[in-house]
Amino acid sequence: MQSRVILDSKKLQLTIDRLCYQIVETHKDFKDACIIGVQPRGVLFADRLVKRLQHLFPNYTIPYGKLDITFYRDDFRRADKAFSPSVTDITFSLENKNVILVDDVLYTGRTIRSALDALMDFGRPNDVELVVLIDRRLQRHVPIQAKYVGKTIDSINSEKVKVYWQETHEEDKVELIAHTDKPL
Amino acid sequence: MSALSTKHLLGIKYINTEDIHLILQTAKEFKEVINRPIKKVPSLRDVTIANLFFENSTRTRISFELAQKRLSADTINFSASASSVKKGETLLDTVNNILAMKVDMIVMRHSSVGAPMFLADKIQANIINAGDGTHEHPTQALLDAYSIKEKMGELKGLNVAICGDIRHSRVALSNIFCLQKLGANVMLAGPPTLIPKHMESLGVKTTYNIKEALQWCDVANVLRIQLERQDIKYFPTLREYSLYYGINRALLDSLKKEIVIMHPGPINRGVEINSDVADSKQSIILDQVENGVAVRMAIMFLLAGRSF
Protein backbone atom coordinates (compact mmCIF):
# COMPACT_ATOMS: atom_id res chain seq x y z
CA MET A 1 0.00 0.00 0.00
CA GLN A 2 1.41 3.37 -1.04
CA SER A 3 0.06 6.83 -0.51
CA ARG A 4 0.95 10.28 -1.70
CA VAL A 5 -0.33 13.61 -0.44
CA ILE A 6 -1.81 15.49 -3.38
CA LEU A 7 -3.02 18.48 -1.35
CA ASP A 8 -1.54 19.38 2.02
CA SER A 9 -3.24 21.63 4.53
CA LYS A 10 -1.71 24.84 3.16
CA LYS A 11 -2.55 24.09 -0.46
CA LEU A 12 -6.00 22.95 0.53
CA GLN A 13 -6.66 26.28 2.22
CA LEU A 14 -5.47 28.15 -0.87
CA THR A 15 -7.66 25.98 -3.07
CA ILE A 16 -10.73 26.63 -0.92
CA ASP A 17 -10.02 30.36 -1.03
CA ARG A 18 -9.73 30.27 -4.79
CA LEU A 19 -12.98 28.35 -5.15
CA CYS A 20 -14.72 30.87 -2.87
CA TYR A 21 -13.63 33.78 -5.05
CA GLN A 22 -14.60 31.94 -8.23
CA ILE A 23 -18.07 31.22 -6.84
CA VAL A 24 -18.56 34.82 -5.72
CA GLU A 25 -17.37 36.05 -9.10
CA THR A 26 -20.32 34.26 -10.70
CA HIS A 27 -22.95 34.55 -7.99
CA LYS A 28 -22.15 37.93 -6.43
CA ASP A 29 -24.12 38.24 -3.20
CA PHE A 30 -25.98 34.90 -3.33
CA LYS A 31 -29.32 36.64 -3.82
CA ASP A 32 -30.52 33.93 -6.21
CA ALA A 33 -27.99 31.26 -5.35
CA CYS A 34 -27.65 28.58 -2.70
CA ILE A 35 -25.09 25.98 -1.73
CA ILE A 36 -26.09 22.33 -1.39
CA GLY A 37 -23.61 19.83 0.06
CA VAL A 38 -23.93 16.19 -0.92
CA GLN A 39 -24.03 13.82 2.07
CA PRO A 40 -22.01 12.47 3.67
CA ARG A 41 -18.55 13.62 2.60
CA GLY A 42 -19.49 16.50 0.34
CA VAL A 43 -21.02 18.17 3.38
CA LEU A 44 -17.67 18.27 5.17
CA PHE A 45 -16.25 20.16 2.21
CA ALA A 46 -19.34 22.35 1.85
CA ASP A 47 -19.22 23.22 5.57
CA ARG A 48 -15.70 24.47 5.09
CA LEU A 49 -16.55 26.33 1.90
CA VAL A 50 -19.52 28.10 3.48
CA LYS A 51 -17.52 28.96 6.58
CA ARG A 52 -14.77 30.48 4.47
CA LEU A 53 -17.24 32.36 2.25
CA GLN A 54 -18.84 33.87 5.30
CA HIS A 55 -15.46 34.85 6.66
CA LEU A 56 -14.42 36.48 3.38
CA PHE A 57 -17.80 38.10 2.69
CA PRO A 58 -19.45 38.70 6.06
CA ASN A 59 -22.27 40.76 4.54
CA TYR A 60 -23.65 37.96 2.40
CA THR A 61 -26.37 35.62 3.55
CA ILE A 62 -25.60 32.25 2.02
CA PRO A 63 -28.50 29.76 1.90
CA TYR A 64 -26.95 26.38 2.69
CA GLY A 65 -28.56 22.93 2.62
CA LYS A 66 -27.52 19.31 2.89
CA LEU A 67 -28.75 16.68 0.48
CA ASP A 68 -28.67 12.91 0.98
CA ILE A 69 -28.86 10.89 -2.21
CA THR A 70 -29.20 7.37 -0.78
CA PHE A 71 -32.83 6.99 -1.90
CA TYR A 72 -31.90 8.04 -5.46
CA ARG A 73 -28.86 5.81 -6.03
CA ASP A 74 -28.77 3.76 -9.22
CA ASP A 75 -26.96 0.84 -7.55
CA PHE A 76 -29.55 0.12 -4.85
CA ARG A 77 -30.06 -3.69 -4.78
CA ARG A 78 -27.09 -4.03 -7.16
CA ALA A 79 -24.15 -3.06 -4.99
CA ASP A 80 -22.62 -5.62 -2.66
CA LYS A 81 -23.42 -3.57 0.40
CA ALA A 82 -26.42 -1.99 2.03
CA PHE A 83 -26.87 1.76 2.19
CA SER A 84 -27.93 3.80 5.15
CA PRO A 85 -29.13 7.33 4.63
CA SER A 86 -27.80 10.55 6.16
CA VAL A 87 -29.74 13.68 7.03
CA THR A 88 -31.28 15.83 4.31
CA ASP A 89 -31.70 19.38 5.51
CA ILE A 90 -32.99 21.83 2.92
CA THR A 91 -35.27 24.38 4.50
CA PHE A 92 -35.85 26.51 1.40
CA SER A 93 -37.34 25.89 -2.04
CA LEU A 94 -34.93 25.41 -4.92
CA GLU A 95 -37.47 26.75 -7.41
CA ASN A 96 -35.67 29.15 -9.78
CA LYS A 97 -32.54 29.13 -7.62
CA ASN A 98 -29.00 28.85 -8.95
CA VAL A 99 -27.86 25.77 -7.12
CA ILE A 100 -24.19 25.25 -6.36
CA LEU A 101 -23.80 21.56 -5.67
CA VAL A 102 -20.77 20.60 -3.58
CA ASP A 103 -19.01 17.24 -3.35
CA ASP A 104 -15.49 16.29 -2.38
CA VAL A 105 -14.41 13.87 -5.12
CA LEU A 106 -15.89 13.61 -8.62
CA TYR A 107 -15.22 10.08 -9.84
CA THR A 108 -17.78 8.11 -11.88
CA GLY A 109 -20.30 10.95 -11.74
CA ARG A 110 -23.07 8.64 -10.57
CA THR A 111 -23.43 10.32 -7.21
CA ILE A 112 -23.97 13.66 -8.91
CA ARG A 113 -26.44 12.11 -11.35
CA SER A 114 -28.42 10.85 -8.35
CA ALA A 115 -28.08 14.22 -6.68
CA LEU A 116 -29.61 15.91 -9.73
CA ASP A 117 -32.63 13.60 -9.39
CA ALA A 118 -32.88 14.32 -5.69
CA LEU A 119 -32.60 18.10 -6.20
CA MET A 120 -35.64 18.17 -8.45
CA ASP A 121 -37.81 17.01 -5.55
CA PHE A 122 -37.17 20.35 -3.87
CA GLY A 123 -38.26 22.48 -6.83
CA ARG A 124 -36.96 23.23 -10.33
CA PRO A 125 -33.70 25.12 -10.08
CA ASN A 126 -32.79 27.76 -12.62
CA ASP A 127 -29.40 26.14 -13.05
CA VAL A 128 -27.14 23.72 -11.24
CA GLU A 129 -23.38 24.02 -11.01
CA LEU A 130 -20.94 21.62 -9.47
CA VAL A 131 -18.00 22.35 -7.18
CA VAL A 132 -15.57 19.54 -6.40
CA LEU A 133 -12.33 19.47 -4.50
CA ILE A 134 -10.83 16.67 -6.59
CA ASP A 135 -11.78 15.74 -10.13
CA ARG A 136 -10.66 12.23 -11.18
CA ARG A 137 -11.21 13.12 -14.77
CA LEU A 138 -10.54 9.81 -16.53
CA GLN A 139 -13.15 7.66 -14.79
CA ARG A 140 -16.48 9.17 -15.67
CA HIS A 141 -19.42 6.78 -16.32
CA VAL A 142 -21.92 9.54 -17.14
CA PRO A 143 -21.48 12.86 -18.91
CA ILE A 144 -21.09 15.14 -15.91
CA GLN A 145 -18.49 17.78 -15.29
CA ALA A 146 -17.70 20.26 -12.57
CA LYS A 147 -17.63 24.01 -13.12
CA TYR A 148 -15.30 24.72 -10.20
CA VAL A 149 -12.49 22.25 -9.56
CA GLY A 150 -9.98 22.27 -6.72
CA LYS A 151 -7.52 19.95 -8.38
CA THR A 152 -7.75 17.66 -11.37
CA ILE A 153 -5.92 14.36 -11.17
CA ASP A 154 -5.31 11.41 -13.45
CA SER A 155 -5.72 8.17 -11.57
CA ILE A 156 -6.59 4.58 -12.29
CA ASN A 157 -9.56 2.67 -10.94
CA SER A 158 -7.63 0.66 -8.36
CA GLU A 159 -6.40 3.86 -6.74
CA LYS A 160 -8.38 5.72 -4.11
CA VAL A 161 -8.59 9.37 -3.25
CA LYS A 162 -9.11 10.10 0.42
CA VAL A 163 -9.95 13.52 1.80
CA TYR A 164 -9.17 14.24 5.44
CA TRP A 165 -10.64 17.15 7.35
CA GLN A 166 -9.45 18.69 10.56
CA GLU A 167 -12.95 18.32 12.05
CA THR A 168 -13.00 14.55 11.56
CA HIS A 169 -9.37 13.49 11.09
CA GLU A 170 -7.42 16.20 12.96
CA GLU A 171 -5.68 17.20 9.75
CA ASP A 172 -6.53 18.76 6.39
CA LYS A 173 -5.12 16.83 3.45
CA VAL A 174 -5.96 14.85 0.33
CA GLU A 175 -4.21 11.57 -0.34
CA LEU A 176 -3.94 9.26 -3.31
CA ILE A 177 -3.80 5.65 -2.12
CA ALA A 178 -2.82 2.62 -4.20
CA HIS A 179 -2.34 -1.08 -3.53
CA THR A 180 1.12 -1.24 -5.03
CA ASP A 181 4.72 -1.51 -3.93
CA LYS A 182 5.97 1.15 -6.30
CA PRO A 183 6.05 4.67 -4.90
CA LEU A 184 3.38 6.88 -6.42
CA MET B 1 -24.22 -1.29 11.06
CA SER B 2 -25.79 -0.55 7.74
CA ALA B 3 -27.55 -3.82 6.96
CA LEU B 4 -30.27 -5.73 8.79
CA SER B 5 -29.24 -9.08 10.26
CA THR B 6 -32.33 -10.71 8.83
CA LYS B 7 -34.01 -11.22 5.49
CA HIS B 8 -37.53 -11.11 6.92
CA LEU B 9 -39.29 -9.10 9.55
CA LEU B 10 -41.26 -11.87 11.24
CA GLY B 11 -41.30 -10.46 14.74
CA ILE B 12 -39.33 -8.27 17.10
CA LYS B 13 -38.24 -11.43 18.89
CA TYR B 14 -36.24 -12.47 15.84
CA ILE B 15 -34.29 -9.25 15.26
CA ASN B 16 -31.54 -7.72 17.37
CA THR B 17 -31.14 -4.35 19.02
CA GLU B 18 -28.85 -3.04 16.24
CA ASP B 19 -31.55 -3.89 13.69
CA ILE B 20 -34.08 -1.87 15.69
CA HIS B 21 -31.74 1.12 15.94
CA LEU B 22 -31.01 0.92 12.22
CA ILE B 23 -34.73 0.87 11.38
CA LEU B 24 -35.50 3.81 13.68
CA GLN B 25 -32.54 5.80 12.34
CA THR B 26 -33.55 5.15 8.72
CA ALA B 27 -37.18 6.00 9.52
CA LYS B 28 -36.06 9.43 10.68
CA GLU B 29 -34.72 10.19 7.20
CA PHE B 30 -37.94 8.89 5.63
CA LYS B 31 -40.00 11.12 7.90
CA GLU B 32 -38.14 14.05 6.35
CA VAL B 33 -39.00 12.64 2.90
CA ILE B 34 -42.74 12.37 3.59
CA ASN B 35 -42.82 15.95 4.78
CA ARG B 36 -41.33 17.31 1.53
CA PRO B 37 -43.49 18.98 -1.12
CA ILE B 38 -42.70 15.92 -3.28
CA LYS B 39 -43.10 12.99 -0.92
CA LYS B 40 -41.79 10.29 -3.17
CA VAL B 41 -38.36 8.74 -3.74
CA PRO B 42 -37.43 6.27 -6.50
CA SER B 43 -35.59 3.71 -4.32
CA LEU B 44 -37.82 0.67 -4.84
CA ARG B 45 -38.86 1.30 -8.42
CA ASP B 46 -37.89 -2.21 -9.54
CA VAL B 47 -39.39 -3.94 -6.51
CA THR B 48 -42.79 -5.58 -6.53
CA ILE B 49 -44.57 -6.05 -3.24
CA ALA B 50 -47.66 -8.14 -2.56
CA ASN B 51 -49.89 -7.15 0.33
CA LEU B 52 -51.61 -10.31 1.48
CA PHE B 53 -54.29 -9.55 4.00
CA PHE B 54 -55.95 -12.75 5.14
CA GLU B 55 -57.48 -10.73 7.95
CA ASN B 56 -59.14 -7.32 7.85
CA SER B 57 -57.11 -4.20 8.30
CA THR B 58 -57.57 -0.55 7.51
CA ARG B 59 -54.79 1.46 9.01
CA THR B 60 -51.94 -1.02 8.67
CA ARG B 61 -52.88 -1.76 5.10
CA ILE B 62 -53.21 1.87 4.06
CA SER B 63 -50.00 2.68 5.85
CA PHE B 64 -48.12 -0.09 4.05
CA GLU B 65 -49.61 0.84 0.69
CA LEU B 66 -48.75 4.48 1.13
CA ALA B 67 -45.23 3.60 2.23
CA GLN B 68 -44.82 1.40 -0.86
CA LYS B 69 -46.08 4.14 -3.17
CA ARG B 70 -43.79 6.72 -1.59
CA LEU B 71 -40.89 4.34 -2.27
CA SER B 72 -42.04 3.92 -5.90
CA ALA B 73 -42.57 0.16 -5.49
CA ASP B 74 -45.13 -1.71 -7.58
CA THR B 75 -47.82 -3.22 -5.41
CA ILE B 76 -50.54 -5.78 -5.66
CA ASN B 77 -53.24 -6.17 -3.09
CA PHE B 78 -54.97 -9.27 -2.02
CA SER B 79 -57.67 -9.80 0.51
CA ALA B 80 -58.78 -13.24 1.54
CA SER B 81 -62.48 -12.45 1.35
CA ALA B 82 -62.29 -12.00 -2.43
CA SER B 83 -59.87 -14.76 -3.35
CA SER B 84 -59.35 -18.44 -4.05
CA VAL B 85 -58.72 -19.02 -0.35
CA LYS B 86 -62.49 -19.27 -0.22
CA LYS B 87 -62.24 -22.07 -2.79
CA GLY B 88 -59.95 -24.12 -0.55
CA GLU B 89 -56.46 -23.19 -1.75
CA THR B 90 -53.73 -23.62 0.87
CA LEU B 91 -51.64 -20.69 2.12
CA LEU B 92 -48.45 -22.02 0.52
CA ASP B 93 -50.16 -22.54 -2.84
CA THR B 94 -51.67 -19.07 -2.78
CA VAL B 95 -48.31 -17.49 -1.98
CA ASN B 96 -46.37 -19.60 -4.49
CA ASN B 97 -48.79 -18.61 -7.22
CA ILE B 98 -48.29 -14.97 -6.43
CA LEU B 99 -44.52 -15.37 -6.27
CA ALA B 100 -44.52 -17.10 -9.67
CA MET B 101 -45.47 -13.69 -11.05
CA LYS B 102 -42.09 -12.35 -9.85
CA VAL B 103 -42.92 -10.68 -6.58
CA ASP B 104 -39.96 -9.61 -4.43
CA MET B 105 -41.55 -8.95 -1.08
CA ILE B 106 -44.63 -10.02 0.83
CA VAL B 107 -46.47 -8.11 3.50
CA MET B 108 -48.78 -10.52 5.25
CA ARG B 109 -51.46 -10.40 7.87
CA HIS B 110 -52.94 -13.69 8.92
CA SER B 111 -55.22 -14.80 11.73
CA SER B 112 -53.04 -17.85 12.47
CA VAL B 113 -50.08 -17.49 14.80
CA GLY B 114 -46.84 -18.34 13.00
CA ALA B 115 -48.18 -18.13 9.44
CA PRO B 116 -45.34 -15.85 8.25
CA MET B 117 -42.72 -18.01 10.00
CA PHE B 118 -44.13 -21.04 8.20
CA LEU B 119 -43.74 -19.27 4.85
CA ALA B 120 -40.28 -17.90 5.60
CA ASP B 121 -38.79 -21.40 5.44
CA LYS B 122 -40.36 -22.14 2.11
CA ILE B 123 -40.11 -19.09 -0.13
CA GLN B 124 -37.44 -16.76 -1.49
CA ALA B 125 -39.17 -13.39 -1.14
CA ASN B 126 -38.74 -11.10 1.88
CA ILE B 127 -41.63 -11.40 4.31
CA ILE B 128 -42.95 -8.68 6.57
CA ASN B 129 -45.34 -9.78 9.26
CA ALA B 130 -48.20 -7.29 9.42
CA GLY B 131 -49.80 -9.19 12.30
CA ASP B 132 -50.17 -12.92 12.88
CA GLY B 133 -53.08 -13.78 15.13
CA THR B 134 -52.42 -12.81 18.73
CA HIS B 135 -48.66 -13.26 18.31
CA GLU B 136 -46.65 -10.36 16.88
CA HIS B 137 -47.16 -7.11 15.01
CA PRO B 138 -43.57 -5.94 14.62
CA THR B 139 -44.11 -2.84 12.48
CA GLN B 140 -46.55 -1.47 15.07
CA ALA B 141 -44.01 -1.98 17.85
CA LEU B 142 -41.33 -0.24 15.79
CA LEU B 143 -43.54 2.73 15.01
CA ASP B 144 -44.51 2.91 18.68
CA ALA B 145 -40.84 2.89 19.65
CA TYR B 146 -40.12 5.56 17.05
CA SER B 147 -42.97 7.73 18.34
CA ILE B 148 -41.82 7.39 21.95
CA LYS B 149 -38.25 8.20 20.95
CA GLU B 150 -39.39 11.21 18.97
CA LYS B 151 -41.40 12.52 21.90
CA MET B 152 -39.13 11.60 24.82
CA GLY B 153 -35.69 11.54 23.19
CA GLU B 154 -34.56 8.18 24.47
CA LEU B 155 -36.15 4.87 25.44
CA LYS B 156 -33.46 3.62 27.77
CA GLY B 157 -34.69 3.68 31.35
CA LEU B 158 -38.15 4.89 30.38
CA ASN B 159 -41.20 3.35 32.08
CA VAL B 160 -43.87 2.24 29.64
CA ALA B 161 -47.23 0.83 30.70
CA ILE B 162 -49.21 -1.31 28.28
CA CYS B 163 -52.85 -1.18 29.34
CA GLY B 164 -55.91 -3.22 28.47
CA ASP B 165 -56.48 -6.40 26.52
CA ILE B 166 -53.02 -7.99 26.72
CA ARG B 167 -54.25 -11.52 26.13
CA HIS B 168 -55.54 -10.89 22.64
CA SER B 169 -52.99 -8.32 21.58
CA ARG B 170 -50.15 -8.92 19.16
CA VAL B 171 -49.24 -5.28 19.67
CA ALA B 172 -48.55 -6.00 23.34
CA LEU B 173 -46.13 -8.85 22.71
CA SER B 174 -44.18 -7.04 19.98
CA ASN B 175 -44.08 -3.92 22.13
CA ILE B 176 -42.73 -5.84 25.11
CA PHE B 177 -39.89 -7.34 23.05
CA CYS B 178 -39.10 -4.03 21.35
CA LEU B 179 -39.19 -1.88 24.47
CA GLN B 180 -37.06 -4.34 26.40
CA LYS B 181 -34.47 -4.55 23.63
CA LEU B 182 -34.25 -0.76 23.70
CA GLY B 183 -33.78 -0.72 27.48
CA ALA B 184 -37.21 0.50 28.60
CA ASN B 185 -39.10 -0.96 31.57
CA VAL B 186 -42.52 -2.43 30.87
CA MET B 187 -45.57 -2.83 33.08
CA LEU B 188 -48.77 -4.51 31.96
CA ALA B 189 -52.08 -3.32 33.37
CA GLY B 190 -55.53 -4.76 32.89
CA PRO B 191 -58.10 -7.09 34.36
CA PRO B 192 -56.71 -10.44 35.62
CA THR B 193 -58.60 -12.30 32.92
CA LEU B 194 -56.86 -10.35 30.18
CA ILE B 195 -53.27 -10.63 31.45
CA PRO B 196 -51.99 -14.17 30.94
CA LYS B 197 -49.97 -15.49 33.91
CA HIS B 198 -47.00 -16.44 31.73
CA MET B 199 -46.40 -12.80 30.78
CA GLU B 200 -44.35 -12.33 33.95
CA SER B 201 -41.80 -14.80 32.58
CA LEU B 202 -40.88 -12.13 30.01
CA GLY B 203 -39.54 -9.96 32.79
CA VAL B 204 -42.36 -7.42 32.86
CA LYS B 205 -44.24 -6.09 35.87
CA THR B 206 -47.98 -6.64 35.97
CA THR B 207 -50.74 -4.94 37.87
CA TYR B 208 -54.50 -5.18 37.94
CA ASN B 209 -54.77 -1.58 39.08
CA ILE B 210 -54.70 0.88 36.19
CA LYS B 211 -53.93 3.87 38.39
CA GLU B 212 -50.86 2.17 39.81
CA ALA B 213 -49.56 1.62 36.28
CA LEU B 214 -50.25 5.18 35.20
CA GLN B 215 -48.61 6.56 38.34
CA TRP B 216 -45.51 4.49 37.57
CA CYS B 217 -45.14 5.13 33.88
CA ASP B 218 -43.84 7.89 31.60
CA VAL B 219 -45.77 6.58 28.61
CA ALA B 220 -49.02 4.60 28.55
CA ASN B 221 -49.83 2.54 25.46
CA VAL B 222 -53.55 1.83 25.68
CA LEU B 223 -54.80 -1.21 23.79
CA ARG B 224 -58.18 -1.86 22.28
CA ILE B 225 -60.53 -4.39 23.78
CA GLN B 226 -60.63 -6.99 21.01
CA LEU B 227 -64.18 -8.23 21.35
CA GLU B 228 -63.93 -10.10 18.05
CA ARG B 229 -61.21 -12.35 19.45
CA GLN B 230 -62.89 -13.00 22.78
CA ASP B 231 -64.39 -16.47 22.71
CA ILE B 232 -65.76 -16.21 26.25
CA LYS B 233 -66.65 -13.32 28.52
CA TYR B 234 -63.51 -11.95 30.13
CA PHE B 235 -65.32 -9.15 31.99
CA PRO B 236 -69.00 -8.57 32.75
CA THR B 237 -69.80 -5.52 30.62
CA LEU B 238 -68.01 -2.85 28.59
CA ARG B 239 -69.44 -0.30 31.01
CA GLU B 240 -67.80 -2.04 33.92
CA TYR B 241 -64.52 -2.33 32.02
CA SER B 242 -64.62 1.36 31.25
CA LEU B 243 -65.32 2.16 34.89
CA TYR B 244 -62.35 0.19 36.24
CA TYR B 245 -59.86 0.26 33.36
CA GLY B 246 -60.93 3.11 31.07
CA ILE B 247 -58.55 6.08 30.96
CA ASN B 248 -60.25 9.42 31.39
CA ARG B 249 -59.30 13.00 32.14
CA ALA B 250 -60.12 12.78 35.86
CA LEU B 251 -57.84 9.78 36.23
CA LEU B 252 -54.96 11.49 34.40
CA ASP B 253 -55.45 14.71 36.40
CA SER B 254 -55.20 12.75 39.64
CA LEU B 255 -51.66 11.58 38.78
CA LYS B 256 -49.83 14.87 39.51
CA LYS B 257 -47.64 14.33 36.45
CA GLU B 258 -48.08 14.41 32.71
CA ILE B 259 -47.72 11.11 30.92
CA VAL B 260 -47.77 10.45 27.17
CA ILE B 261 -50.78 8.53 25.85
CA MET B 262 -50.57 6.16 22.89
CA HIS B 263 -53.06 3.88 21.19
CA PRO B 264 -52.44 1.64 18.18
CA GLY B 265 -56.01 2.16 16.94
CA PRO B 266 -58.78 1.61 16.18
CA ILE B 267 -60.02 3.39 19.30
CA ASN B 268 -63.13 2.31 21.14
CA ARG B 269 -63.98 5.75 22.45
CA GLY B 270 -65.56 5.61 25.88
CA VAL B 271 -64.32 2.06 26.53
CA GLU B 272 -60.55 1.85 27.03
CA ILE B 273 -59.99 5.56 26.48
CA ASN B 274 -62.19 8.65 26.65
CA SER B 275 -62.27 11.40 24.03
CA ASP B 276 -60.98 13.96 26.54
CA VAL B 277 -57.79 11.88 26.72
CA ALA B 278 -57.51 10.62 23.15
CA ASP B 279 -57.83 14.12 21.68
CA SER B 280 -55.72 15.89 24.30
CA LYS B 281 -52.23 17.35 24.01
CA GLN B 282 -50.85 14.39 25.90
CA SER B 283 -51.95 11.99 23.19
CA ILE B 284 -49.56 11.14 20.32
CA ILE B 285 -52.03 8.82 18.60
CA LEU B 286 -52.00 10.66 15.28
CA ASP B 287 -48.21 11.03 15.38
CA GLN B 288 -48.08 7.24 15.63
CA VAL B 289 -50.08 7.01 12.41
CA GLU B 290 -47.82 9.48 10.60
CA ASN B 291 -44.68 7.76 11.86
CA GLY B 292 -46.09 4.42 10.76
CA VAL B 293 -45.58 5.34 7.12
CA ALA B 294 -41.98 6.44 7.69
CA VAL B 295 -41.13 3.36 9.76
CA ARG B 296 -42.63 1.01 7.17
CA MET B 297 -40.75 2.79 4.40
CA ALA B 298 -37.55 2.24 6.37
CA ILE B 299 -38.27 -1.46 6.89
CA MET B 300 -39.07 -2.12 3.24
CA PHE B 301 -36.10 -0.05 2.08
CA LEU B 302 -33.72 -1.94 4.36
CA LEU B 303 -35.10 -5.37 3.51
CA ALA B 304 -35.09 -4.68 -0.24
CA GLY B 305 -31.57 -3.27 -0.09
CA ARG B 306 -30.38 -6.46 1.52
CA SER B 307 -31.08 -8.76 -1.41
CA PHE B 308 -27.59 -8.99 -2.81
Side-chain angles (χ1 to χ4, degrees):
Chain A
M1 186 109 104
Q2 293 284 329
S3 69
R4 177 165 62 91
V5 176
I6 47 181
L7 279 179
D8 60 19
S9 123
K10 209 170 152 193
K11 277 190 193 147
L12 190 65
Q13 189 53 54
L14 278 173
T15 305
I16 291 175
D17 280 3
R18 169 171 57 80
L19 292 171
C20 287
Y21 284 115
Q22 282 179 332
I23 292 169
V24 170
E25 203 173 8
T26 315
H27 295 283
K28 298 189 184 75
D29 53 2
F30 287 87
K31 216 175 92 217
D32 302 311
C34 64
I35 290 183
I36 302 287
V38 179
Q39 286 278 22
R41 285 187 294 272
V43 166
L44 297 172
F45 176 36
D47 279 348
R48 196 61 84 75
L49 211 54
V50 171
K51 204 168 132 193
R52 192 64 189 158
L53 276 168
Q54 262 157 358
H55 176 79
L56 295 170
F57 307 97
N59 298 330
Y60 296 173
T61 315
I62 305 166
Y64 173 36
K66 296 166 186 176
L67 179 71
D68 183 72
I69 57 115
T70 308
F71 303 140
Y72 300 83
R73 294 184 70 108
D74 58 6
D75 54 349
F76 182 65
R77 281 164 75 76
R78 288 166 183 81
D80 54 1
K81 60 178 170 115
F83 301 113
S84 45
S86 306
V87 175
T88 294
D89 180 18
I90 301 177
T91 51
F92 43 87
S93 164
L94 300 184
E95 193 75 27
N96 288 327
K97 280 267 166 60
N98 300 323
V99 174
I100 306 158
L101 202 58
V102 180
D103 204 358
D104 61 349
V105 181
L106 179 58
Y107 179 38
T108 63
R110 285 176 187 268
T111 302
I112 301 304
R113 191 217 56 80
S114 306
L116 292 173
D117 270 1
L119 276 183
M120 300 305 153
D121 284 357
F122 293 87
R124 180 181 181 271
N126 182 47
D127 76 1
V128 183
E129 296 173 345
L130 178 61
V131 189
V132 294
L133 186 56
I134 303 292
D135 179 5
R136 300 180 67 178
R137 63 175 169 180
L138 302 178
Q139 270 97 15
R140 213 75 81 237
H141 292 182
V142 283
I144 275 170
Q145 68 171 2
K147 179 160 179 184
Y148 314 95
V149 177
K151 189 178 173 69
T152 304
I153 61 162
D154 296 342
S155 58
I156 54 171
N157 274 329
S158 61
E159 291 166 343
K160 277 201 166 64
V161 172
K162 192 143 195 247
V163 182
Y164 301 85
W165 297 105
Q166 205 159 33
E167 291 82 347
T168 46
H169 298 92
E170 286 157 7
E171 184 182 17
D172 283 346
K173 66 172 177 186
V174 182
E175 265 186 358
L176 184 67
I177 300 168
H179 290 281
T180 169
D181 299 330
K182 283 183 246 162
L184 289 167
Chain B
M1 110 110 204
S2 65
L4 290 178
S5 68
T6 163
K7 189 184 163 190
H8 309 294
L9 180 65
L10 301 174
I12 303 294
K13 192 178 173 182
Y14 313 102
I15 61 175
N16 59 41
T17 308
E18 287 74 52
D19 291 333
I20 298 175
H21 283 301
L22 177 60
I23 291 169
L24 299 186
Q25 183 56 41
T26 309
K28 202 171 150 202
E29 311 312 340
F30 277 114
K31 183 151 187 192
E32 183 271 321
V33 169
I34 61 175
N35 281 296
R36 291 180 191 172
I38 296 175
K39 306 172 184 63
K40 202 175 166 97
V41 291
S43 306
L44 264 58
R45 62 181 175 251
D46 58 347
V47 178
T48 308
I49 305 176
N51 298 314
L52 310 184
F53 280 78
F54 294 93
E55 195 184 79
N56 289 336
S57 160
T58 313
R59 149 190 7 247
T60 305
R61 186 177 175 150
I62 290 177
S63 178
F64 264 111
E65 270 192 63
L66 214 49
Q68 288 153 0
K69 293 194 158 80
R70 304 248 149 108
L71 287 167
S72 306
D74 293 318
T75 61
I76 48 171
N77 293 305
F78 164 100
S79 57
S81 53
S83 74
S84 293
V85 173
K86 282 258 153 78
K87 299 175 191 164
E89 192 175 47
T90 67
L91 174 61
L92 189 56
D93 281 338
T94 305
V95 172
N96 270 329
N97 273 279
I98 290 168
L99 291 180
M101 297 181 241
K102 304 271 177 280
V103 168
D104 305 290
M105 194 183 292
I106 283 180
V107 175
M108 187 170 86
R109 167 166 291 188
H110 202 285
S111 54
S112 298
V113 169
M117 294 76 183
F118 163 80
L119 279 186
D121 293 338
K122 298 182 171 57
I123 63 170
Q124 273 300 310
N126 308 100
I127 300 177
I128 298 174
N129 181 0
D132 60 327
T134 56
H135 181 216
E136 279 232 36
H137 190 354
T139 59
Q140 179 71 42
L142 289 164
L143 77 88
D144 287 346
Y146 182 91
S147 305
I148 297 174
K149 198 172 171 196
E150 187 182 62
K151 180 85 183 172
M152 312 290 284
E154 200 47 65
L155 277 107
K156 212 176 179 70
L158 220 58
N159 293 342
V160 181
I162 303 176
C163 312
D165 188 351
I166 311 294
R167 179 182 292 274
H168 299 99
S169 174
R170 50 194 171 211
V171 177
L173 199 57
S174 287
N175 258 281
I176 292 169
F177 290 137
C178 191
L179 292 166
Q180 287 184 334
K181 285 186 181 185
L182 294 172
N185 310 308
V186 182
M187 186 187 275
L188 306 176
T193 48
L194 291 175
I195 302 183
K197 274 270 175 282
H198 58 256
M199 280 295 177
E200 282 172 9
S201 68
L202 296 174
V204 297
K205 299 180 179 67
T206 57
T207 175
Y208 304 137
N209 181 337
I210 190 89
K211 191 170 175 185
E212 185 193 327
L214 296 180
Q215 193 64 59
W216 171 83
C217 73
D218 304 301
V219 177
N221 198 348
V222 188
L223 304 180
R224 181 174 66 93
I225 289 296
Q226 306 205 28
L227 287 174
E228 76 279 11
R229 289 189 205 279
Q230 298 187 1
D231 42 354
I232 57 166
K233 280 258 178 207
Y234 289 91
F235 48 85
T237 62
L238 281 178
R239 196 159 155 246
E240 187 170 324
Y241 181 85
S242 173
L243 203 58
Y244 286 102
Y245 291 99
I247 296 178
N248 54 43
R249 177 55 38 203
L251 181 57
L252 286 190
D253 286 345
S254 71
L255 297 179
K256 293 178 233 115
K257 64 171 187 174
E258 194 164 296
I259 60 170
V260 174
I261 300 289
M262 303 171 69
H263 193 300
I267 303 178
N268 287 325
R269 283 178 188 264
V271 182
E272 69 268 3
I273 191 166
N274 275 15
S275 292
D276 52 9
V277 174
D279 305 330
S280 71
K281 275 204 314 251
Q282 280 168 271
S283 144
I284 56 167
I285 296 173
L286 290 176
D287 300 282
Q288 288 174 267
V289 180
E290 180 187 352
N291 294 336
V293 177
V295 168
R296 291 183 173 109
M297 284 171 85
I299 292 163
M300 289 186 281
F301 174 82
L302 291 168
L303 286 179
R306 225 188 141 269
S307 51
F308 36 77

